[in-house]
Amino acid sequence: LEEKIKAMAAGEHINNSEDRAVLHMALRAKRDEVFNVDGKNVVKDIYEVLDKIKDFSERVRSGKFVGATGKPIKDIVAVGIGGSYLGPKFVYEALRTDAKGAKGGHGRKLRFLANVDPVEVARCVEGLNPETTLVIVISKTFTTTETLLNAKTMKDWFNKAGIMDVSKNMVAVSTNAEKVKEFGISTDNMFGFWDWVGGRYSVCSAVGVLPLALVFGYDVAEEFLMGARDIDRHFLSAPLEKNIPVLMGLIGIWNASFLGHSSRALLPYAQALLKLAPHVQQVAMESNGKRVCKDGTLLDYEVGEIEFGEPGTDGQHSFYQLIHQGRVVPCDFLGFAKSQYPVYLPDEHPVSNHDELMSNFFAQPDALAFGKTEAQVVAEGAPAELVPHKVFEGNRPSVSILFPESVTPFAVGQVLSLYEHRTAVEGFVWGLNSFDQWGVELGKVLATQVRMQLAKTRKEKAAIEGFVAPTTRLMERYINLTKN
C-alpha cells in the first residue's frame, strides 16, 4: 500500500489501462512544490491556469469583463456532466451558506446543466437574463455528446435573445482549442487541464475552481484547495496506523470483502453537505466498481460498495429504519463542531438548533453499535406482542468524523480529499485500477446506435433492426407515440 501511494504521488502511470499518471493531488500543490509527470514538474502549468482563473474571475466580478451587450455578469451556468458536475455541485452547495461564501457571492447564482433532458434546461435558465449570464462549457475534448448538446441549447438561448456572438457570454474548460474556437468561444477564455486528471477527481482543476472563483471569489476557492492539500500532506506523511484515509479505506475493505456488506451510507450532519453522497457515489463506484484486477484477471472476491446517503435528520426519517433493524449498512457520520448559521431559541428549546442536530449525530452510532436487547425492551414495560418489534440487534458498524469548525471552504476541501484517498486505498488493496471507467462506455456506444436508428426511422421510415425484441417493441411504441 505504501509503495502504491508513493507511486501515485511520484507521477507514475498507475492508470495502466490508459497509460496515464494519476496526479490530482498536484492540482492543490503550493507554487514551490514539485510533482513530476514524465520528468516534468507540472505545478508550473497548474499555476498558469490558476493565475488565469484568478485574473478572469476578478475581471468578471469587478465588472471589467462584461457580456455582449455591455452589462456586467451576475449569474453563471456550468455545462458539464459526471465529474464536471457532481464535484463542483457538491462544493458549491457546501459553500453558498458559509459566511465567506455568502459574502463573496453577493447574490450571484451558479447553476449546473448536466442532464440532457430539456426540462433540465428550462429549470436551469428560469429567471436568468441572457445579457448578464456567463456559461462555462466543461468538456476536455469538447466532444462529449450530452455536454455539447446542452452547450448548443444554451447558445440557441443566447441567439434567441439577440446575442449572436456568444464569445462574451460563453467560456470553456477544455484542451481542444480548435473545437472551442469552432463553437464560437474565444480561446483567450479557454481554461485547460490535463489527461492525468480523471473526471471524478477534477474538482480542484479549472473544472471546479473556475465556477467557484467566479461566484465566491478566488480567495474562497483557494482556501478550499488548501483544505484538500492539508489532507494530501497527511495522507502522504502519516504512518498507516494513524492515517485517516488509510483507516477509512481498510475499514471499508473489511466491511465489504470480509463481512459481505455491499452498501455504505454517507450521513453528514450538516445540510450544507447535501450533495456529498452524489459526488462520492461517482468517486467510489466509478473507481472501484470493477470485475477484474489491474492485470485483467477476474476477481474472486467482492469489491466496491453501493454508496448512498442524506444529510442529518432527513435520513433518520427516510432509511434509518433499514439500517437499524433491516440489512446491515456500514455508516459514515460526519459532524461539525459549529454551525454555518447558529440559532438558539432559549425560551423554546433547551439547546441550540445545532446542539439538537449534534445530539442525533452522537446518538445514532451508539444506537447502531449497542442496539436494545429483549430484556431491556421487557424492562421498559412493552407489551409481549411488541417486544420482537422493538428489539435492535446492534453490532452494526459505523465511522464518525468530527470537524473542529463549521462547514468552511477549508473543511470542504478536507472532506473532498478524504474520500478521494479512501477510494484510492481501497482500490490499491483490492488490486484494481481505480482510475479508468470502461463500464461507462458500453451504454454510450449503444445509445449512439439508438440515436442513429431513431433518426433513420423518423426521416426514412426505416424498420427498427439490430436490438433485442423488448427494446425493439419499446422503440416502435415510442416512435408511434411521438409521431407529428
Side-chain angles (χ1 to χ4, degrees), residues 199-221:
R200 56 194 174 276
Y201 299 98
S202 67
V203 189
C204 294
S205 72
V207 168
V209 176
L210 177 59
L212 294 172
L214 284 166
V215 174
F216 300 127
Y218 186 81
D219 59 332
V220 173

Side-chain angles (χ1 to χ4, degrees), residues 284-303:
M285 295 168 71
E286 193 169 85
S287 294
N288 293 336
K290 302 293 170 66
R291 61 184 287 273
V292 297
C293 294
K294 194 170 181 178
D295 63 5
T297 57
L298 281 171
L299 292 164
D300 58 0
Y301 46 89
E302 295 294 330
V303 304

Side-chain angles (χ1 to χ4, degrees), residues 9 23 26 29-36 40-43:
L23 216 50
K30 290 184 177 179
R31 196 180 289 266
D32 60 355
E33 288 186 275
V34 175
F35 280 90
N36 288 316
K40 178 185 178 181
N41 181 13
V42 298
V43 176

